[in-house]
Amino acid sequence: MSTKIFRGLLKDNSNEENDEIKIKGKFRIYLGNELYAKGKNKWTRYFASSVMLHVAQHRDPFYSARYMAGMSFNYTARAGGDTSTPTDPNMSDLVSKIDIAPNTQSRIAIRSDDLTSYQSKFTFTWNPDVIPAQTIGEFGIYLFLTDDTWTSPYEKPNFRTYLAYADHYIATLLPNADVRLAARISSADGDFDPIDYTGEESIVLEWYVTIKF
């Protein structure tokens, strides 16, 4: 599940050099300044469902809220202690989540000069002594995603989720959207060796989503 391919979205299939889009999720883990591991993540169905609904949905013309929320609304990451459970696409959370938010997080968007590659880079940093000393065997990236309970086929999916937030409303193109697990990086999948974390170094998780065609 590390790569999703959508055929025929750009031009017709007679052009074999430009008839598919590839979406890849990759990661880098740093302990202090040293690169500890890099590789590909595993996706959940909530991410795949949300991507497709973003394509299929439309905005309610009578909607009057101040702004819409995308999939990075309240985005975050967590570490976890599990080292034995392979990733399943139905997972909605880490197996043994260490519920400590990163001290800092950021995201940027990048595109190639030839306009055939688009990438988002997320960086999550836990400072030293924030996560207690323990074994770390999994990481999760959380985005604002649908719960994937819609009935298939979903005829003319509508813009219908409205959330009260502070003194205004947030609207999203995704039904029943909330912060859910989008991708998992796991030692049980062979993505990295379990970390015998002492708490003395910072942990930096870089996560990249790349779209190429």
Side-chain angles (χ1 to χ4, degrees):
M1 291 189 66
S2 62
T3 300
K4 297 291 182 182
I5 300 177
F6 299 90
R7 296 186 179 278
L9 295 183
L10 304 169
K11 304 185 178 180
D12 59 48
N13 287 337
S14 62
N15 184 350
E16 295 182 356
E17 294 182 354
N18 197 25
D19 69 349
E20 64 183 32
I21 291 178
K22 296 182 179 180
I23 301 179
K24 294 183 179 181
K26 295 185 177 182
F27 72 89
R28 292 176 181 263
I29 299 169
Y30 292 86
L31 297 180
N33 295 322
E34 298 295 324
L35 177 64
Y36 181 82
K38 63 180 181 178
K40 298 178 181 179
N41 65 235
K42 306 296 187 298
W43 300 111
T44 68
R45 65 188 180 99
Y46 304 103
F47 177 80
S49 172
S50 299
V51 169
M52 193 50 58
L53 285 185
H54 263 301
V55 174
Q57 293 219 12
H58 72 277
R59 178 172 177 169
D60 184 340
F62 300 106
Y63 175 65
S64 60
R66 295 187 189 177
Y67 66 96
M68 294 185 294
M71 287 196 293
S72 284
F73 175 68
N74 279 349
Y75 75 101
T76 190
R78 292 292 188 274
D82 179 78
T83 61
S84 61
T85 308
T87 301
D88 185 283
N90 294 317
M91 283 182 172
S92 59
D93 209 346
L94 293 180
V95 176
S96 182
K97 182 167 68 176
I98 303 166
D99 202 6
I100 300 175
N103 294 95
T104 62
Q105 57 187 48
S106 63
R107 67 193 190 280
I108 59 174
I110 307 163
R111 68 174 179 235
S112 64
D113 292 338
D114 63 0
L115 306 181
T116 62
S117 177
Y118 293 79
Q119 184 177 77
S120 59
K121 175 185 176 182
F122 293 72
T123 303
F124 305 94
T125 302
W126 290 266
N127 293 340
D129 297 321
V130 171
I131 295 179
Q134 60 191 288
T135 298
I136 296 176
E138 56 182 341
F139 289 91
I141 294 88
Y142 297 80
L143 301 175
F144 200 55
L145 305 175
T146 177
D147 62 1
D148 198 23
T149 57
W150 47 277
T151 301
S152 177
Y154 189 176
E155 297 287 345
K156 297 181 180 180
N158 293 322
F159 179 83
R160 62 174 183 153
T161 296
Y162 306 87
L163 302 175
Y165 185 77
D167 61 344
H168 53 275
Y169 286 93
I170 292 173
T172 173
L173 293 173
L174 301 174
N176 303 317
D178 206 343
V179 178
R180 293 186 169 89
L181 184 68
R184 184 171 181 253
I185 300 158
S186 171
S187 59
D189 294 320
D191 298 332
F192 66 97
D193 292 331
I195 301 170
D196 186 14
Y197 185 59
T198 65
E200 298 175 354
E201 299 175 303
S202 62
I203 300 175
V204 179
L205 172 63
E206 293 180 350
W207 182 57
Y208 304 82
V209 178
T210 304
I211 299 175
K212 291 185 178 182
F213 58 88

